[in-house]
Structure formats: structure tokens, C-alpha cells
């Protein structure tokens, strides 16, 4: 019942760039308390609104089409995906409002199962569902508006990356390829199960460990893939980056679907061509390039931190079972927002001091 699943349905990157350029800063300048606001137009994962010297609200919304054939699983994934925006800002979510578009021909029991999954996931994150809004829609859509709190000194912003910072990823990529493979009826049950397991894993632990380690530059990977969201962080920070593709964790079945079945989400292909002039792919195979552009629903956190904090964070992640890995480095070599793919492993070659 959908053209694309989950965050693969995002507005293409080039269209979003043009849209935000036409809006400029005017949404944030309306009202008398604009100085209290870090607006969503800054492209961080949530807007921040200062209530007092030690309390800041983090507000975001995220919704999309189904990513599972099971309604309860979709509800859980949608909830985990929506609260991730608050964790990516260094915050703790506490309140959510539902957003539902539902085809009238589908049974009420399916909606009930969807909501049971969402409420269950929210409860595990200590978030209260307080209501919402629903409409008739030929395409099923579900998501949440989420509110949380962030201590000002703990806020993680995309503009805080600096040359010499290490780049860290906390989940494997490839869920978008598997969702597309499921839609094409070529993804095996094990591939779907592994992808759903990744999407069902909350970023709560990773976000709190990053915050407690003093990391202050972060985003989460969603519809524009690793490369698209890294590019956004680099533009905000006026930096560049080197990425070691061999270090980037990928779902094995996703790579096989791409290489052997030719499964590539349309949004991954669009992101790849939109960033063609900003990424030096070296001799990386085309299937791996698409995997690095693959749209993720409930993807991992993308973090940037100095070397000492990176080591501390990775150590704490190992203790808590969070599969975080270092995949590259922030640099200042070239126009802001550009990425160089380097063969080999992290830790080889020249490094910028940091």
C-alpha cells in the first residue's frame, strides 16, 4: 500500500535543500522569544526552546509509511524512530502525540495492534502517549510528535564537529535495502528479521553514553543515509571528512540483496546522484556506495568527538552492549560538506591531531 517504506519516503535531498532555502530564517523570527529558540531550520534533529537557565525543551516530529508487514512491529519501530531525535540532541523524551493516517478499508484491530506496539516501545523509553490526531488516508502513515528535556550544557548539535574529531556510528546500515527487498518479495525471512531487530533497537543507551562522555556533536541516520546526514553535519560545522568504508558496519543480507538482486531504494539512488560532486568515492564498488546512501528508519547515531572522548565512549559502549564503531575523521581539507572515501582501516595513514 506504499511507494516507499519508512524514512525512504522523505522529500529528496535536493528538493529539501531548495525548500529550506526559500524559507530561510523567517519561521524562527516570528514571535517575541526567538532568542530562546534553536529552530528546526538549523537542521538539527529537534528544535530547542529555553525555559530557564537549566531547562531546555527539545521538540521534534517523525512519521512515515510502514516498514513491516506486522502492524505491532511497525508501531514499535515508528516509536523508537521518533524518540531517537531527542536522544540525538542529548535529551530525554517524556511526552508524545500520535500522528495517524489510516485507510478506511483496513480493520480497526490492525490500528489497535499498531498502537499497542507504539505504546509498548514508548513505555520502555519512559515516554507518555498523551493523545494525537488521525485522518483517513489511502496510504497508511504513523508517527509521533515528541517532547523532551535537555540540559543546555549537554546539547549535542550538528554544528559542533571540529577537524580532528573522530566519526562514530552506533548501528549497522542496510535496513532500507531490506525493506525494499521485502516489498519486491526477494528478501528472505532472516534478512527481514535482522533488519527489524536493528530498527527496534533504541538509541536511548547510545545517546545517554554519548552525553555522559561529553560528546557534543551528533545526529541520527534516517532517510538520507550515512553520507547524506554526514554531509549535513559537515555543512553545519563548516568541515569535511574522511570515511573508511571498510569500517562501516553493513547488514550482510542487505549487501547481498544489492549486489545479487539489484535492490536499491529509489531514495538511495537519488541521494547518491545528488551528492556525486561532494563525495570522492575512490574505487568503492557501486553496491557499497548505494549502501552508504541507504535510507535508514530508526538508524543509529552519527557522532563526532575528540580522540580521548571517542576512546572513552567506545569503551563504555562495549561494556553496555552498544555496537558503536569508529568509521572516519572530521577534516578541513576542501569545501565544507565534502567526504573522501579512503581504502583501508581506521587508524591507517595520516591523522589530524585531535
Amino acid at each position: 500500500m506504499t511507494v516507499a517504506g519508512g524514512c525512504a519516503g522523505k522529500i529528496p535531498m535536493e528538493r529539501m535543500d531548495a525548500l529550506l532555502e526559500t524559507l530561510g530564517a523567517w519561521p524562527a523570527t516570528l514571535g517575541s522569544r526567538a532568542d530562546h529558540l534553536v529552530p528546526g531550520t538549523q537542521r538539527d534533529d529537534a528544535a530547542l526552546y529555553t525555559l530557564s537557565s537549566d531547562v531546555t525543551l527539545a521538540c521534534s516530529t517523525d512519521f512515515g509509511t510502514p516498514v513491516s508487514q506486522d502492524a505491532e512491529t511497525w508501531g514499535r519501530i515508528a516509536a523508537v524512530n521518533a524518540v531517537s531525535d531527542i536522544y540525538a540532541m542529548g535529551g530525554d523524551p517524556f511526552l508524545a502525540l500520535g500522528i495517524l493516517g489510516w485507510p478506511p478499508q483496513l480493520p480497526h484491530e490492525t490500528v489497535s495492534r499498531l498502537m499497542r506496539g507504539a505504546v509498548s516501545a514508548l513505555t520502555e523509553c519512559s515516554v507518555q502517549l498523551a493523545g494525537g490526531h488521525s485522518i483517513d488516508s489511502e496510504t497508511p502513515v504513523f508517527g509521533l510528535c515528541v517532547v523532551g528535556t535537555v540540559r543546555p550544557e549537554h546539547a549535542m548539535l550538528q554544528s559542533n564537529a571540529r577537524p580532528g574529531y573522530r566519526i562514530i556510528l552506533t548501528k549497522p546500515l542496510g535496513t532500507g535495502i531490506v525493506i525494499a527487498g521485502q516489498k519486491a518479495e526477494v528478501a528472505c525471512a532472516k534478512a527481514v528479521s535482522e533488519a527489524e531487530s536493528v530498527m527496534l533497537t533504541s538509541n536511548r543507551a547510545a545517546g545517554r553514553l554519548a552525553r555522559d562522555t561529553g560528546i557534543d556533536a551528533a545526529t541520527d541516520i534516517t532517510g538520507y543515509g550515512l553520507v547524506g546526514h554526514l554531509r549535513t553535519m559537515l555543512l553545519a560545522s563548516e568541515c569535511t571528512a574522511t570515511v573508511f568504508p571498510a569500517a562501516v558496519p553493513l547488514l550482510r543480507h542487505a549487501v547481498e540483496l544489492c549486489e545479487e538482486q539489484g535492490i536499491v531504494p529509489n531514495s538511495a539512488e537519488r541521494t547518491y546522484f545528488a551528492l556525486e560532486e561532494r563525495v570522492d568515492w575512490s574505487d568503492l564498488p557501486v553496491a557499497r556506495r548505494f549502501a552508504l546512501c541507504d535510507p535508514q528508519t530508526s538508524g543509529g547515531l552519527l557522532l563526532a568527538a575528540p580522540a580521548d572522548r571517542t576512546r572513552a565512549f567506545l569503551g563504555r559502549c562495549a561494556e553496555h552492549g552498544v555496537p558503536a564503531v569508529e568509521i572516519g575523521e572530521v577534516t578541513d581539507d576542501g569545501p565544507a560538506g565534502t567526504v573522501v572515501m579512503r581504502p583501508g582501516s581506521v587508524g591507517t595513514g595520516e591523522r589530524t591531531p585531535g
Side-chain angles (χ1 to χ4, degrees), residues 128-281:
Q128 176 70 51
L129 183 65
H133 185 68
S134 60
I135 63 169
D136 277 343
S137 171
E138 289 304 312
T139 299
V141 174
F142 177 68
L144 298 163
C145 173
V146 186
V147 181
T149 57
V150 182
R151 292 190 65 85
E153 67 272 20
H154 291 158
M156 299 193 295
L157 306 177
Q158 299 204 59
S159 57
N160 284 340
R162 298 291 180 266
Y165 278 22
R166 310 308 194 239
I167 302 170
I168 307 162
L169 181 63
T170 67
K171 284 189 186 183
L173 306 177
T175 58
I177 294 172
V178 174
I179 292 169
Q182 184 181 25
K183 187 174 177 61
E185 300 182 345
V186 295
C188 66
K190 187 172 183 180
V192 173
S193 176
E194 288 180 349
E196 290 184 350
S197 177
V198 170
M199 292 186 287
L200 286 166
T201 301
S202 171
N203 284 325
R204 184 182 194 181
R208 288 183 170 181
L209 290 173
R211 180 186 66 196
D212 294 346
T213 309
I215 293 176
D216 65 355
T219 186
D220 63 349
I221 308 298
T222 59
Y224 300 136
L226 169 67
V227 174
H229 290 285
L230 175 58
R231 169 257 193 182
T232 301
M233 176 184 282
L234 296 173
L235 286 175
S237 299
E238 299 183 351
C239 294
T240 57
T242 295
V243 171
F244 295 87
V248 178
L250 302 172
L251 293 174
R252 177 175 61 86
H253 290 287
V255 175
E256 292 173 355
L257 283 167
C258 191
E259 290 178 341
E260 299 172 12
Q261 302 282 350
I263 298 297
V264 180
N266 289 337
S267 54
E269 191 172 359
R270 288 194 297 264
T271 297
Y272 171 73
F273 287 113
L275 298 179
E276 204 168 16
E277 296 182 1
R278 287 189 174 271
V279 181
D280 178 356
W281 291 101

